[in-house]
Amino acid sequence: MQSPLATRVRYFSSLRILDAKKSEQVDLGERKAVARAKLDSLASALSLQTRDDWYKIKRGDIKKFDDGLLHCGFFSSTNGVLTFSSFVGRQILASYPSLPSALKDAYPEHEFLPWKFAQVSRSFWSDTSNQILFLEWIQKQEGMKSLEDWYSIKIGQLETKYSMRPVLERYSRSLSRALSSLYPDHSWEEWRFNRKTPRGFWNDVKNQRRFLQSVGKKIGVVSMEDWYRVELKSVAAQSLPSFFGAQYSWSLPAALKAAFPEHEFLDWKFEKLPVNYWDSSQNQQRYIQWLGKELGIQRLEQWYSVPSYVALESFTEPFGRSLPRALMSLYPHHSWDDSKFIRTGSSARPHSSSLRLRLLQCANHSFPEATQELSCWYSVEASQVASSGLGLVLRNNNLSLVEALRIAFPDHYWDPLRFRQKQLNPTT
């Protein structure tokens, strides 16, 4: 191993030769060759074994080394041998804007990564193209196949492993903001970044809308009507954000109304209604007006021909499960004739579990798809009802199909308007 003195002597010898070339007119190729020779000499003097060893060198290290030569008495700024600016290290720093640019010019065959140097200029990180190159390099190092893989990255580990702080500080230390800014053409979902979103992100209703649109697509929501069959737990399976509780008390209907104000969501079409929802006369009025419109009712007298089972049972429950009583209460100024209303159903109804078993047994023979998906009951033909023995079940219990299904499957929302008209009345 050479002594510091021998290193400085060898450095001095090469320096005199290289400095002589300084006054020559050289072309670009020769200029690079001179720079390479100077850097080779400096690397030898600094005991650098490989090209990558340059990563640990700072500008200050080079200046200190040159200053050390002067202090050892090898050079004098007055004896005319060499001036202070003739030192190889300072020559390199004076000829190039940075050490990385000098190395890249002198050693084009080697890939120097600017961000791996011990010292990176601030101007380097101001260029977004450099930020993108840096992130693409990390993607390669981590084996990422696409931009989607960033969602599963734990930023705390990467920040330490790859010194990402200079980039993240430009985006409030938010990886999602950095990626959204640098890759604007990609549809980013900020809530998927290790379940962390930028501060105040969920205060923007537009972001809530984007979240619900994304979740809806994943769980099969094609139209707004499809949201009625979605339960909160299905949304929660996609990582439920905090805004559901903070702003909407964990109510999916309330969140949907806020996110999609252009669509009129009807509370009674959702699987579950808020507690005491039907205690509100305003909600009762809204529902009966909507139902009347759906049935094409233009005069109150037309309600006489509407059986009670057409209305939601939860709606009629405050009125003794009687649609006539509900109508008389909601339209007290109309002269109602109670005897004109159609009377259906029986006060002695079968137990839900026994009725459910008989419905499934009948369906298993003629329309087995209804045993797997409850919505298939809407498409059952009247002839199938009769041939399967289901007609006998309905007739014996004096029930319509929709009434039977409501009893058998009370947790499911049954829309009587989706059934074929022939299915609604008990089979005779």
Side-chain angles (χ1 to χ4, degrees), residues 151-296:
Y151 290 127
S152 58
I153 293 297
K154 293 182 178 180
I155 187 59
Q157 296 178 356
L158 286 191
E159 190 173 0
T160 302
K161 185 176 181 181
Y162 298 111
S163 301
M164 294 183 67
R165 186 174 180 177
V167 174
L168 294 180
E169 283 184 342
R170 297 177 178 275
Y171 302 96
S172 303
R173 299 186 62 79
S174 170
L175 177 61
S176 63
R177 283 180 178 170
L179 290 169
S180 298
S181 178
L182 297 174
Y183 299 96
D185 295 333
H186 186 78
S187 181
W188 293 102
E189 297 179 342
E190 291 83 350
W191 51 90
R192 293 176 60 189
F193 283 99
N194 202 25
R195 299 190 178 184
K196 290 184 179 180
T197 54
R199 181 175 297 179
F201 179 82
W202 292 120
N203 293 335
D204 190 340
V205 179
K206 292 180 180 178
N207 292 329
Q208 299 176 17
R209 182 187 181 105
R210 288 176 52 225
F211 170 76
L212 290 169
Q213 288 174 330
S214 174
V215 170
K217 185 177 181 180
K218 292 175 182 177
I219 61 179
V221 172
V222 178
S223 67
M224 287 297 176
E225 294 293 309
D226 293 334
W227 279 110
Y228 290 126
R229 60 179 175 80
V230 176
E231 295 184 11
L232 186 61
K233 62 182 180 182
S234 299
V235 180
Q238 306 296 324
S239 300
L240 197 62
S242 58
F243 77 87
F244 264 93
Q247 299 183 38
Y248 305 111
S249 301
W250 307 109
S251 170
L252 178 58
L256 289 168
K257 290 177 183 178
F260 305 100
E262 73 281 5
H263 182 80
E264 183 185 10
F265 283 101
L266 304 174
D267 297 319
W268 48 84
K269 282 194 172 186
F270 287 96
E271 292 287 344
K272 293 183 179 180
L273 285 169
V275 178
N276 302 324
Y277 179 83
W278 292 120
D279 290 345
S280 168
S281 59
Q282 184 178 1
N283 292 335
Q284 296 169 4
Q285 285 285 356
R286 283 186 62 223
Y287 174 74
I288 204 66
Q289 289 172 6
W290 169 84
L291 183 60
K293 185 178 180 180
E294 291 292 307
L295 296 174

Side-chain angles (χ1 to χ4, degrees), residues 271-338:
E271 292 287 344
K272 293 183 179 180
L273 285 169
V275 178
N276 302 324
Y277 179 83
W278 292 120
D279 290 345
S280 168
S281 59
Q282 184 178 1
N283 292 335
Q284 296 169 4
Q285 285 285 356
R286 283 186 62 223
Y287 174 74
I288 204 66
Q289 289 172 6
W290 169 84
L291 183 60
K293 185 178 180 180
E294 291 292 307
L295 296 174
I297 291 178
Q298 298 178 352
R299 295 176 294 105
L300 290 177
E301 288 76 9
Q302 292 177 279
W303 281 107
Y304 287 129
S305 60
V306 178
S308 288
Y309 60 73
V310 171
L312 285 175
E313 187 172 343
S314 58
F315 163 73
T316 60
E317 190 166 355
F319 306 99
R321 295 183 178 178
S322 169
L323 179 58
R325 290 180 185 175
L327 289 166
M328 288 187 282
S329 175
L330 295 174
Y331 298 103
H333 301 299
H334 183 74
S335 298
W336 295 100
D337 186 347
D338 187 59

Side-chain angles (χ1 to χ4, degrees), residues 356-368:
R356 183 188 306 118
L357 178 61
R358 281 185 284 176
L359 289 179
L360 293 176
Q361 288 174 337
C362 294
N364 191 50
H365 290 86
S366 299
F367 33 93

Side-chain angles (χ1 to χ4, degrees), residues 33-75:
V34 171
R36 186 183 185 108
K38 289 183 177 182
L39 286 169
D40 283 344
S41 176
L42 184 58
S44 177
L46 293 172
S47 301
L48 304 183
Q49 303 299 318
T50 67
R51 296 278 188 264
D52 285 351
D53 286 342
W54 280 107
Y55 287 134
K56 61 186 178 183
I57 301 300
K58 299 179 181 179
R59 290 177 63 92
D61 296 331
I62 296 175
K63 291 180 180 179
K64 287 179 181 178
F65 185 81
D66 282 353
D67 291 346
L69 296 178
L70 179 63
H71 293 160
C72 286
F74 284 97
F75 304 113

